[in-house]
Amino acid sequence: MSDARDQILQRLGRTSSRSPKPIPAPSACEQPSQASLIEQFSAMMEAVHGEVRVVDKDDWPNAFNSVVKEHQVKSLLIGPATWPGNRIQKSPPPNVDLLTYESAVENWKADLFHETDAAVTSAVGGVAETGSVALWPSIEEPRLMSLVPPLHIVLLDADQIFATFSELIDQQQWASNMPTNALLISGPSKSADIEQVLAYGVHGPKSLVIMILQ
């Protein structure tokens, strides 16, 4: 038994005295293509009942009008000082009343909560990993625009979709330009009861449409 043990120890000694082989450095990770980011983002968003449309960025108003028509929108809330609102004002969807958020909510609360079918806002970016859009509410696009109307339409530039949230805030330099209010939205509003049964559209928009401008 001792001879066998001595042989094993000798072999172990010889092995430990050898210089370890260098571990090759990992190859540089390839950045995912825009197409793959859009595909992943769309799959994750649609998994939580969000709707995604990829449209031509130069012709998005026509696609936008189609979305409004499909959802039978009669009144649309816009931020007239924002780039989406400004463009929509120039070419409004047919047979749709445009509402503008230009006064304190107390002055038109009833119309906002009961007479507004949809709202459109811009997004600062998207996260493919979770299927989330990032919004920075402002005076021009207050938080209630994405919270109250039954349909929320978001315009998202395809170039601003990133693989992870960490990458998004790093590439957009949030650390030096952080707003007082930032939102991540993943699908329509949802809630679960005590038995963990998930329901959509309970406390906020029942529908969310993301229009990716490519």
Side-chain angles (χ1 to χ4, degrees):
M1 178 65 70
S2 60
D3 290 342
R5 184 187 65 183
D6 291 341
Q7 291 175 7
I8 293 173
L9 291 175
Q10 288 175 4
R11 287 199 298 270
L12 290 175
R14 288 196 299 270
T15 301
S16 62
S17 65
R18 297 171 187 166
S19 300
K21 294 181 179 180
I23 300 174
S27 60
C29 296
E30 294 184 2
Q31 291 296 319
S33 66
Q34 185 184 87
S36 64
L37 289 173
I38 291 175
E39 182 180 4
Q40 183 182 15
F41 174 90
S42 300
M44 297 301 293
M45 177 61 74
E46 290 168 354
V48 290
H49 295 199
E51 182 181 343
V52 179
R53 306 282 184 96
V54 181
V55 303
D56 186 336
K57 66 169 54 180
D58 295 324
D59 192 40
W60 70 263
N62 287 328
F64 177 84
N65 289 351
S66 296
V67 170
V68 168
K69 182 178 180 180
E70 290 174 21
H71 286 265
Q72 301 181 344
V73 172
K74 299 300 181 184
S75 57
L76 174 69
L77 177 60
I78 64 171
T82 65
W83 66 265
N86 181 267
R87 183 64 181 83
I88 292 169
Q89 278 189 317
K90 293 179 179 178
S91 181
N95 305 314
V96 173
D97 293 329
L98 296 184
L99 306 176
T100 58
Y101 205 135
E102 297 180 294
S103 63
V105 64
E106 289 78 13
N107 298 334
W108 64 297
K109 185 185 299 184
D111 288 340
L112 173 61
F113 280 82
H114 303 294
E115 304 297 334
T116 304
D117 296 331
V120 56
T121 69
S122 59
V124 297
V127 181
E129 183 179 51
T130 57
S132 305
V133 286
L135 273 61
W136 286 7
S138 62
I139 295 176
E140 292 78 19
E141 283 185 344
R143 173 70 176 98
L144 289 179
M145 290 183 67
S146 62
L147 182 64
V148 175
L151 169 64
H152 181 201
I153 305 173
V154 182
L155 302 181
L156 171 63
D157 192 326
D159 291 336
Q160 297 305 311
I161 299 177
F162 299 92
T164 64
F165 181 55
S166 176
E167 184 179 347
L168 184 152
I169 62 176
D170 178 62
Q171 292 295 318
Q172 294 188 346
Q173 300 180 347
W174 281 29
S176 61
N177 190 32
M178 188 69 178
T180 56
N181 189 4
L183 301 174
L184 284 179
I185 299 176
S186 303
S189 65
K190 44 192 170 287
S191 182
D193 60 17
I194 194 171
E195 295 180 351
Q196 298 185 352
V197 176
L198 193 62
Y200 289 86
V202 178
H203 304 294
K206 294 178 173 60
S207 301
L208 175 67
V209 177
I210 309 298
M211 299 186 67
I212 299 177
L213 312 186
Q214 187 179 32

